């Protein structure tokens, strides 16, 4: 890690003009490293599973924990109720004339199940091999918290920040951020900023800092197929009754053609052609199909013909089954014709697909292909728009310098297959550029058992973000 030779106010420059981590901030972060880790572990112990109402009190406790952690560093925060889980907003606005940044993160986590596949319990953070294992370690508590500590480094060492800061932490990201867009709309004035900064994604490879230029959107469905009024003896009735499980299988099988293209009519109508320059730049990233095969434990890759793997992941839409439920799945055999079958299906979307239009297309398609003899319903659970940025402007320039200072490497521009629903809303409602700079790593097991965050990235992430505020503040853009 680079260190500047003397304590300076503001981003320091080496003789070659390269930014380095300001020495006072570096010292604060290293001196306080054990305490910072203890605090993070406290946060990770709260099982704030937004999807599960049994955890509503825990989710609330996580919101309070975030509020207190902001209050303690001198960024007074308030908890705003919503129709779902609350939003926490902290404000520090004592840099007159300086730019204002909005830092977003989420304090909710995915359900930890299946529990038996965790090496150490999901809500007992454990360090192995310089990785912090816990549900939410990387998605997104560790990444939200590193921002809080970067702010603390400034406030504790200098009593001030070079930029005005608003921190917003939500508790519904993992369930689609249903109430956040209206909150942003209602609180436009409170959240108004010159730039939005979010760490809820990953670096392209270890040691390679990354700035995201795109996210996919989402349209998530539940498909229910109802057959007979109750389960039936599969010998007495099988053969004469339409089997709902088979009917569902037939429906799902119509979603793709033999080349892996989505066969729902109209699905690609709004897909924007990608700039050949961006595709070329993607091809220059150090990526190898074999690494992905090893990471995921598969022998061959699948998907749409005619695209590279990164293109399939970042710039092409998908339609995937996320879960299936039907019939007898217990031990041994039970001869039964199930009364119903259910599938959870999610489509990842790319610019300019619109979740509401995809919902219409999906419903029309399923209605058309549904076999006679069963009742099929399609429910749209939640959605989010895809996002893409050009990455020009002072916040991106400052981020490049800050990442280079912390990681000793020029950041790469990447895309992402996942979704962060509020990103498009921030851009649309606040009119501010969004910088997505994440510190996760490939293989981090987000949403899966044994999720981890690299200790090194947690540390470098704090330093990069602390440096970013000096760099962005120095541009004076407000
Ligand atoms: N941190 C992720 C988004 C993400 C995923 C970024 C993969 C980079 C790589 C976020 O917490 C997430 O999981 N989002 C959900 C959103 C959905 C529930 C609307 C997703 O992508 O499934
Ligand atoms: Zn997530």
């Amino acid at each position: 890690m680079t260190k500047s030779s003397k304590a300076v106010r503001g981003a320091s420059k080496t003789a070659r003009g390269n930014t380095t981590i300001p020495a006072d901030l570096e010292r604060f972060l290293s001196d306080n490293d054990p305490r910072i880790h203890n605090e993070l572990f406290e946060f990770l112990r709260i099982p704030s599973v937004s999807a599960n109402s049994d955890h509503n009190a825990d989710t609330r406790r996580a919101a309070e924990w975030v509020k207190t952690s902001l209050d303690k560093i001198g960024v007074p925060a308030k908890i705003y109720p919503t129709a779902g889980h609350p939003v926490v907003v902290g404000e520090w606005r004592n840099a007159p004339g300086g730019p204002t940044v909005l830092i977003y993160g989420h304090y909710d986590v995915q359900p930890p199940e299946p529990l038996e596949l965790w090496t150490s319990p999901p809500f007992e953070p454990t360090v192995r091999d310089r990785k912090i294992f816990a549900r939410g370690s990387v998605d997104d508590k560790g990444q939200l918290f590193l921002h809080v500590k970067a702010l603390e480094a400034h406030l504790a060492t200098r009593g001030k920040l070079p930029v005005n800061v608003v921190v917003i932490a939500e508790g519904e990201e993992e369930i689609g951020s249903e109430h956040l867009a209206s909150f942003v709309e209602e609180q436009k004035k409170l959240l108004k900023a010159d730039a939005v900064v979010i760490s809820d994604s990953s670096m392209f490879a270890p040691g390679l800092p990354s700035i995201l230029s795109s996210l996919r959107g989402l349209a998530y469905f539940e498909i229910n197929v109802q057959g007979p009024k109750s389960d039936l003896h599969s010998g007495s009735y099988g053969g004469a009754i339409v089997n709902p499980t088979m009917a569902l299988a037939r429906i799902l099988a119509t979603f793709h053609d033999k080349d892996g293209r989505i066969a729902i009519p109209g699905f690609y109508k709004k897909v924007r052609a990608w700039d050949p320059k961006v595709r070329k730049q993607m091809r220059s990233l150090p990526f190898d199909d074999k690494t992905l095969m090893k990471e995921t434990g598969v022998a061959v890759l699948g998907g749409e013909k005619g695209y590279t793997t990164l293109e399939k992941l970042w710039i092409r839409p998908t339609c995937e089954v996320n879960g299936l439920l039907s019939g007898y799945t217990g031990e041994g055999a039970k001869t039964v014709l199930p009364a119903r079958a259910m599938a959870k299906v999610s489509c990842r979307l790319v610019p300019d697909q619109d979740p509401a239009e995809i919902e219409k297309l999906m419903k029309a398609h399923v209605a058309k292909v549904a076999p006679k003899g069963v009742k099929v319903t399609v429910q749209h659970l939640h959605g989010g728009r895809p996002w893409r940025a050009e990455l020009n402007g002072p916040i991106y320039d400052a981020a490049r310098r800050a990442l280079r200072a912390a990681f000793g490497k020029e950041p790469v521009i990447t895309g992402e297959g996942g979704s962060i629903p509020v990103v498009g809303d921030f851009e649309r409602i606040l009119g501010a550029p969004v910088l997505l700079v994440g510190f996760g790593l490939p293989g981090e097991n987000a949403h899966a058992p044994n999720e981890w965050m690299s200790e090194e990235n947690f540390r470098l992430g704090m330093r990069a973000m602390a440096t970013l505020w000096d760099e962005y503040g120095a541009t004076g853009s407000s």
Side-chain angles (χ1 to χ4, degrees), residues 104 106 108 110 138-140 143 172-177 199-202 212 215-218 220 322 346 348 382-384 415-421 436 444 446-447:
Y104 161 90
H106 62 93
D108 65 322
Q110 285 275 328
V138 70
D139 186 7
D140 175 42
Q143 300 205 63
E172 298 192 311
E173 198 276 345
E174 298 293 9
I175 49 173
S177 299
S199 298
D200 188 22
S201 54
S202 302
L212 272 190
L215 286 167
R216 288 195 290 195
L218 190 70
Y220 200 115
N322 291 202
S346 69
R348 295 284 170 174
H382 60 72
E416 180 50 65
S419 315
I420 305 175
L436 281 158
E444 68 198 5
H447 296 202

Side-chain angles (χ1 to χ4, degrees), residues 36-51:
I36 291 172
H37 270 73
N38 285 339
E39 290 176 8
L40 171 63
F41 281 26
E42 210 180 281
F43 191 20
L44 294 173
R45 282 191 198 103
I46 307 174
S48 46
V49 182
S50 51

Side-chain angles (χ1 to χ4, degrees), residues 87-89 101-106 166-170 173 177 180-185 187-188 190-200 215 385-387 420-436:
V87 176
V88 185
V89 179
V101 293
L102 178 67
I103 302 170
Y104 161 90
H106 62 93
V166 182
V167 179
I168 176 169
E170 73 152 320
E173 198 276 345
S177 299
L180 198 57
S182 54
F183 180 83
V184 176
E185 193 76 66
Q187 300 288 346
K188 230 192 295 197
L190 171 71
L191 303 173
K192 192 176 158 0
D194 299 292
V196 181
V197 177
I198 302 178
S199 298
D200 188 22
L215 286 167
R385 285 171 188 278
W387 170 84
I420 305 175
V422 77
V423 170
D425 299 324
F426 279 144
E427 205 174 60
R428 183 173 50 84
I429 302 168
L430 305 177
V434 184
L435 166 70
L436 281 158

Side-chain angles (χ1 to χ4, degrees), residues 130-144:
R130 298 171 69 217
K131 296 168 177 165
I132 304 163
F133 285 87
R135 170 56 87 232
S137 53
V138 70
D139 186 7
D140 175 42
K141 285 176 172 171
Q143 300 205 63
L144 168 62

